[in-house]
Amino acid sequence: MAKRRIIIDCDPGVDDAIALLLAFASPDEIEIVGITTVIGNVSQPATTRNALRIAAMANRQDIPIYAGCSRPIILPHEQRGASVHGTDGLGDLGVPDATHAVQDHHAVDFIIDTILREPGQITLCPIGPMTNIAMALIKEPSIAAKIRDIAFMGGAAFSAGNTATDAEFNIWIDPHAAQVVLSSGIPMTMFGLDVTRHATLTQARFDQLDRDASPIMQTAIAMMRHYGGGDASLHDPCVIAFLIDPTLFRGVDAVIEVDCDEAGSYGRTRATLVENGRGQGQSVCHVITEVDDERLFQLIDRRLRLLRPTQEMAA
Ligand code: BDR
Ligand code: CA
């Protein structure tokens, strides 16, 4: 399989951090062209700081990181970060600050410029609110036809959400952005709560990861324990795992619409299965519904063990 050139658009966030580490550990399948950050689990300056910290932790200061949007397009929204991802977004474990810096260019412009320079080559991987991607499509609509595809974590097509309005968190933060992206006609694969809720780390799997864990693994495990207790859902890593080994997942085709009505189920994704000719002329999304969670876990365990710590962590 040819190596995928990707941009990871993220809001680290503990599971975003694990997704980044999984991508760093998979250079044979994945080339990360850049990392862009957005408001979500914590503020945008905090998600940017966290992306830099995770890259430094894994010795990947070579990957450029671009700061993106610091608020949703229409309605500002509270963050739920503190309770789930810790006040700092990475479980308040004192992960060291990076010594390298964020790029000067804005994330939205980086996305546009990269797509225009490499038409048909880039896979976008949003694993936070889709604000940056939507803004890129609004600023430069011609990129829609030049994006190879989008694989994203967000939504809940056939299952319950994880917010007060029954929406999934990423879509709930910026439903208008999600609607822009989901109606763009770009080939899309969705990893919603339908599947990511089944990608969990049980106690037995935590114990397996713990065995002979390197300093990076130990930090990753401590972050996940903070965020998920004994049962952490690996939402965002599913997107990266799919690019490494698509046979881990199965799904169906559907048209996804987003409820943007503040009085309704704000941010809820509604799925209409594409069968018997329905969905023609609309943006069709491949909605992942099943995962071989045992093989997914084995992949994550194997790959995280490949990461080399910085000298500071190894000391
Ligand atoms: C999503 O919300 C965030 O808290 C996680 O990072 C993930 O992207 C799951 O609903
Ligand atoms: Ca995320």
Side-chain angles (χ1 to χ4, degrees):
M1 213 170 61
K3 204 186 274 202
R4 296 286 276 265
R5 284 175 62 72
I6 71 171
I7 295 174
I8 303 179
D9 185 60
C10 58
D11 62 334
V14 170
D15 57 331
D16 303 75
I18 307 300
L20 290 173
L21 293 175
L22 180 61
F24 296 158
S26 306
D28 289 344
E29 296 91 356
I30 291 173
E31 192 174 339
I32 308 169
V33 183
I35 296 169
T36 51
T37 59
V38 67
I39 186 188
N41 287 314
V42 280
S43 69
Q44 182 276 109
T47 60
T48 305
R49 174 186 178 223
N50 292 345
L52 288 163
R53 290 202 285 172
I54 295 297
M57 177 172 133
N59 265 335
R60 292 307 307 268
Q61 294 90 336
D62 57 304
I63 301 171
I65 297 178
Y66 300 83
C69 296
S70 51
R71 54 155 288 172
I73 294 178
I74 307 287
L75 287 185
H77 241 303
E78 287 173 28
Q79 297 150 22
R80 77 168 177 183
S83 61
V84 184
H85 298 262
T87 314
D88 76 342
L90 293 182
D92 297 324
L93 300 171
V95 174
D97 264 310
T99 52
H100 68 304
V102 68
Q103 303 289 312
D104 290 337
H105 225 46
H106 192 279
V108 170
D109 294 317
F110 166 70
I111 292 169
I112 293 170
D113 294 348
T114 308
I115 304 292
L116 292 178
R117 202 175 51 242
E118 299 188 49
Q121 301 302 311
I122 302 293
T123 295
L124 297 181
C125 301
I127 53 177
M130 293 197 193
T131 319
N132 288 336
I133 314 295
M135 290 300 285
L137 287 165
I138 290 166
K139 188 172 182 192
E140 184 51 68
S142 74
I143 64 170
K146 301 185 172 91
I147 294 169
R148 173 182 166 159
D149 60 349
I150 296 180
F152 72 96
M153 192 284 136
F158 309 108
S159 59
N162 57 1
T163 65
T165 62
D166 200 27
E168 181 279 328
F169 178 78
N170 288 340
I171 310 290
W172 176 73
I173 290 281
D174 198 342
H176 302 90
Q179 180 61 24
V180 168
V181 176
L182 285 161
S183 60
S184 64
I186 300 165
M188 226 165 289
T189 308
M190 166 173 162
F191 295 81
L193 296 175
D194 312 288
V195 63
T196 64
R197 270 212 186 92
H198 299 292
T200 50
L201 286 177
T202 59
Q203 189 54 51
R205 289 172 181 169
F206 270 117
D207 293 344
Q208 161 74 28
L209 285 172
D210 259 331
R211 258 171 242 153
D212 303 318
S214 67
I216 292 184
M217 295 272 286
Q218 286 168 13
T219 305
I221 293 164
M223 283 195 289
M224 288 187 284
R225 282 199 193 280
H226 172 99
Y227 136 99
D231 196 19
S233 285
L234 296 168
H235 302 289
D236 296 340
C238 284
V239 169
I240 304 300
F242 171 73
L243 300 179
I244 299 168
D245 183 358
T247 70
L248 295 169
F249 298 95
R250 288 178 53 178
V252 296
D253 286 341
V255 174
I256 303 288
E257 285 170 303
V258 185
D259 190 339
C260 293
D261 178 2
E262 279 175 73
S265 305
Y266 188 70
R268 174 78 206 168
T269 39
R270 303 194 188 292
T272 308
L273 281 177
V274 173
E275 46 191 9
N276 304 327
R278 277 194 290 167
Q280 278 178 6
Q282 291 178 281
S283 291
V284 174
C285 186
H286 192 56
V287 180
I288 301 297
T289 53
E290 291 175 52
V291 59
D292 184 334
D293 58 329
E294 188 51 34
R295 280 177 58 225
L296 171 71
F297 166 72
Q298 297 300 342
L299 174 74
I300 290 171
D301 183 50
R302 266 197 324 275
R303 292 294 165 103
L304 294 190
R305 284 176 196 282
L306 300 175
L307 291 168
R308 292 285 154 257
T310 58
Q311 284 174 352
E312 196 180 322
M313 288 195 73

